[in-house]
Amino acid sequence: MGLVLGTVLYWGLLTVEGVSDALGSIVAFGDDGTDMKSAAAAIHFEVDGTVGTNVMPGKIEFYTTPASSTTLTKRMTIDAAGALTLTGVAGSVASGV
């Protein structure tokens, strides 16, 4: 299965992805005693650069929901160049990998 601008890929209807276009997500929900709408963590996949023939630069972003919160917060990114960026309460750390 492929993704074209947030829709399931239908062969013959191809459109080039753009920078920061979402490619997909994995989201983990838990039962909070009321419903199953509370996201605990997520992994997002996005385009991270110029797309070309057989070239699809991407990045992966990792999110968690802090205690006493209902909002996913970005914690880590691995970009197309392989750089790892960690973000937390104490600040951010960027490192070339």
Side-chain angles (χ1 to χ4, degrees):
M1 179 182 297
L3 189 72
V4 175
L5 299 178
T7 61
V8 175
L9 175 66
Y10 297 98
W11 299 110
L13 301 175
L14 301 177
T15 303
V16 174
E17 301 289 346
V19 175
S20 296
D21 276 353
L23 297 172
S25 295
I26 300 169
V27 183
F29 293 89
D31 187 343
D32 63 2
T34 304
D35 55 36
M36 292 280 294
K37 297 179 181 178
S38 301
I43 304 171
H44 296 289
F45 307 91
E46 293 182 4
V47 177
D48 188 30
T50 303
V51 174
T53 303
N54 296 320
V55 175
M56 183 61 62
K59 68 179 173 183
I60 306 171
E61 298 176 330
F62 296 84
Y63 294 77
T64 62
T65 301
S68 302
S69 178
T70 58
T71 305
L72 286 168
T73 303
K74 188 187 316 181
R75 302 299 187 178
M76 182 172 71
T77 302
I78 303 171
D79 69 16
L84 174 67
T85 303
L86 300 174
T87 305
V89 177
S92 297
V93 176
S95 173
V97 176

